[in-house]
Amino acid sequence: RDDVDFWTGRDVDELRPSLATEDYVRRIGKLSASDPLLLVAHAYTRYMGDLSGGTILARVARRALGLSKDGDGLRFYDFGKVSAKVFKDEYRVALDEMDLDEGAVHRLVDEANVAFVLNMRLFQEIDVAAGVEG
């Protein structure tokens, strides 16, 4: 919410979600109702990716956009007092301890690929809106 307010100057409740956001929300809603286990794939894709590269991305973005070090505009990458390494290690252990049959594992992997594509679409929309070429 803070980042949306920062970048748009408007309250997030006043904005309409983008098409990619609507698709993502629709997918999460569908899985919540039909196969909640697959939400693990979305959590994995987002959190592990953000914790792995988020600090670096935030630093690059802050410099490229000339933002101050107070975090305004980049709260998305602020994980508070969470240790990225500890969280990722514990998350992987929790995943490894899940009692899943081979079919569930394949469904999770397939859904992780869907989650990756949905996330890419979100970032592509941001790039287009910002006029980024390429």
Side-chain angles (χ1 to χ4, degrees):
R1 294 183 80 87
D2 290 339
D3 288 342
V4 172
D5 293 346
F6 177 85
W7 291 107
T8 67
R10 297 166 55 196
D11 186 88
V12 70
D13 295 325
E14 299 172 5
L15 302 172
R16 183 180 182 287
S18 70
L19 293 177
T21 300
E22 287 176 345
D23 287 345
Y24 205 122
V25 169
R26 198 171 16 260
R27 182 67 179 181
I28 296 298
K30 178 182 176 188
L31 295 178
S32 296
S34 65
D35 198 352
L37 172 66
L38 298 184
L39 294 172
V40 171
H42 290 267
Y44 181 87
T45 302
R46 284 285 358 134
Y47 294 121
M48 297 301 264
D50 295 338
L51 286 168
S52 294
T55 304
I56 294 167
L57 289 173
R59 187 171 45 243
V60 169
R62 183 176 43 79
R63 288 180 184 151
L65 299 169
L67 300 174
S68 66
K69 290 185 178 184
D70 64 6
D72 284 347
L74 298 172
R75 299 276 183 236
F76 179 82
Y77 297 108
D78 181 2
F79 305 110
K81 297 180 191 259
V82 173
S83 163
K85 180 177 179 0
V86 170
F87 181 91
K88 291 188 301 184
D89 289 347
E90 290 178 0
Y91 196 93
R92 284 187 190 102
V93 167
L95 288 175
D96 289 343
E97 291 176 349
M98 292 178 75
D99 186 24
L100 302 173
D101 61 36
E102 188 174 334
V105 171
H106 286 293
R107 289 190 349 266
L108 278 168
V109 170
D110 289 345
E111 191 61 31
N113 288 323
V114 171
F116 185 78
V117 169
L118 290 169
N119 279 289
M120 282 185 52
R121 285 190 58 222
L122 291 171
F123 284 103
Q124 287 170 340
E125 276 189 345
I126 292 168
D127 286 349
V128 169
V132 175
E133 293 184 25

